[in-house]
Amino acid sequence: MTQGAGQEPVVRTATLRDFRVPPYAQTPVPPQTADAVPHPSLPPRGPEPHAPTPYASVPPPAAAPRQLPHPGNVAVGDEPPEGYTPTERDLPVIKRDDTVPVQAVPEPRPVTGEGLGPLFVVGDVHGYLDELLAALAEQGLIDADANWAAGNARLWFLGDFTDRGPDGIGVIDLVMRLSAEAAAAGGYCKALMGNHELLLIGAKRFSDTPVNSGAGTATFQAAWLLNGGQKSDMDRLQDVHLQWMSRLDAVVEEDGHLLMHSDTTAYLDYGSTIEDVNDTVHAILTRNDADECWDLFRKLTKRFAFRDEGGAEAVRELMTTYGGQRVVHGHSPIPYLLGEVGTEDGENGSGPVVNGPHVYADGLAIAMDGGVTMAGKLLVVELPLHD
């Protein structure tokens, strides 16, 4: 994880109550190496002024400092509960020497007239704002000032905006702003609920409140820290961000694509229609019950349901229930899904090669998490994919 082990404990702030970490989670958390710096194309934050600079003129940022490997998704408990998370071994962060290069910004996509524009999806971002800006610009979705430039195009984010990377709140602010700008231009920019949105909401709302994890005492606060929670994100988290995240849908269908964050069939536990699932998730967050929210987080942290034997049948079950001809998901990094990484011993100093989405499960599933947290690639792709 990005934050989870080191020499000194995390410095608490007024937004984080001190909490008792149970014995299974008593691993010191290193301090932030540097405060997150807002991208020049976004409004400045805090007391220090920051003159805006055209995005395309900014050189590639230095790589975010890497500390120790993080678990892919860590259960907090004496022992992981049965079926809690399919990650039996730690998912490493592979150190990289540079970040995604900023490419020349292409001409903005023209408005194609009335009706729906092209459909794009974005994989897990995890706080890597600069890489997101570069990927959106490469597709012509934003201009040199990071403003919407795609007319009536449609853009869906598949969730997981924060944690592990340096500027999760900056990512949320960008997506919220692009949503308004896209709507004004006749298109739209929307987002789905990821398990890390649920984790951040839980850490803010419930902090060190014990929850029934199925394996001893657990808290959202401890789980958030173990899964890459960034103090700078929590310090800057506002009510508007919490409200926005709490209203995100969990599942949608667009042009025959069933979009969801996690590669799991656990969505079936929450309703027999897309509307039922989204209504149920919203109701759980509205009721504000710590145990109920934890169970939702736990289920949407499961992964690999479509990967192995029976994977294609699991995809078909989801599509039979909710519609669509292909499932498009994030959550499981493609190198991890393919078994290219899976232990700390696999860290060799070079990043995995990710050229694009991974189509699998008899061609019925598309994985969109390129593994930006492990020096992979932040994917922004136009659908449909052509095999």
Side-chain angles (χ1 to χ4, degrees):
M1 64 182 176
T2 302
Q3 302 291 332
Q7 288 74 42
E8 298 178 10
V10 163
V11 177
R12 305 299 175 191
T13 71
T15 61
L16 297 176
R17 291 185 292 161
D18 192 22
F19 65 96
R20 295 182 299 278
V21 179
Y24 48 78
Q26 287 183 358
T27 304
V29 181
Q32 291 288 319
T33 57
D35 292 332
V37 178
H39 193 279
S41 63
L42 300 179
R45 294 183 298 269
E48 298 182 1
H50 194 286
T53 303
Y55 167 64
S57 66
V58 179
R66 300 290 178 179
Q67 297 171 3
L68 293 180
H70 63 75
N73 282 286
V74 179
V76 182
D78 295 323
E79 295 292 338
E82 180 73 22
Y84 167 71
T85 172
T87 57
E88 296 181 358
R89 297 175 297 182
D90 288 348
L91 171 64
V93 174
I94 299 176
K95 185 176 181 180
R96 54 187 171 189
D97 296 324
D98 53 18
T99 57
V100 177
V102 176
Q103 303 187 19
V105 179
E107 291 295 320
R109 290 181 172 269
V111 177
T112 58
E114 295 182 359
L116 300 175
L119 174 64
F120 293 82
V121 291
V122 184
D124 299 35
V125 181
H126 282 299
Y128 286 91
L129 177 59
D130 291 295
E131 286 82 349
L132 174 60
L133 288 166
L136 294 173
E138 183 179 4
Q139 291 287 0
L141 295 167
I142 60 173
D143 61 21
D145 297 317
N147 296 316
W148 181 259
N152 62 357
R154 296 167 290 160
L155 179 62
W156 273 102
F157 285 80
L158 298 180
D160 277 9
F161 301 102
T162 68
D163 303 337
R164 297 180 179 147
D167 195 1
I169 298 302
V171 171
I172 293 176
D173 285 337
L174 174 67
V175 177
M176 292 173 65
R177 176 169 61 78
L178 290 179
S179 297
E181 294 176 358
Y188 60 73
C189 171
K190 299 182 180 181
L192 292 178
M193 175 80 70
N195 62 308
H196 279 262
E197 280 68 66
L198 293 168
L199 187 56
L200 182 58
I201 291 169
K204 180 65 173 180
R205 287 184 179 178
F206 307 116
S207 188
D208 58 349
T209 299
V211 294
N212 181 15
S213 71
T217 303
T219 71
F220 269 105
Q221 177 79 353
W224 175 71
L225 290 170
L226 286 170
N227 285 281
Q230 302 292 300
K231 178 180 178 294
S232 59
D233 282 344
M234 186 64 78
D235 289 346
R236 293 156 52 207
L237 184 64
Q238 301 176 23
D239 287 343
V240 65
H241 302 128
L242 290 168
Q243 292 168 5
W244 181 79
M245 288 188 293
S246 298
R247 294 168 182 166
L248 296 177
D249 285 338
V251 186
V252 297
E253 190 272 336
E254 288 278 2
D255 297 354
H257 298 92
L258 188 62
L259 308 181
M260 56 185 58
H261 174 70
S262 304
D263 46 329
T264 178
T265 58
Y267 294 94
L268 295 168
D269 295 344
Y270 294 99
S272 59
T273 67
I274 288 175
E275 183 179 11
D276 287 345
V277 173
N278 294 330
D279 287 347
T280 301
V281 170
H282 295 156
I284 289 172
L285 293 175
T286 299
R287 284 194 290 271
N288 209 32
D289 179 271
D291 285 329
E292 197 173 23
C293 288
W294 178 268
D295 189 61
L296 177 62
F297 160 69
R298 177 182 64 85
K299 288 182 177 178
L300 295 192
T301 299
K302 295 180 179 180
R303 64 171 88 244
F304 298 155
F306 316 143
R307 186 183 68 174
D308 299 319
E309 184 178 357
E313 185 57 36
V315 177
R316 291 188 182 95
E317 182 181 10
L318 284 168
M319 295 191 299
T320 298
T321 303
Y322 301 131
Q325 286 81 53
R326 261 182 172 176
V327 166
V328 183
H329 69 84
H331 188 49
S332 293
I334 292 170
Y336 194 40
L337 186 66
L338 296 176
E340 295 175 357
V341 297
T343 68
E344 294 180 355
D345 296 334
E347 185 173 356
N348 58 12
S350 62
V353 177
V354 177
N355 295 316
H358 174 55
V359 181
Y360 67 115
D362 293 348
L364 298 176
I366 302 175
M368 279 291 301
D369 184 351
V372 67
T373 64
M374 50 205 302
K377 186 176 183 180
L378 201 162
L379 297 177
V380 179
V381 175
E382 183 175 358
L383 297 177
L385 295 180
H386 300 288
D387 299 332

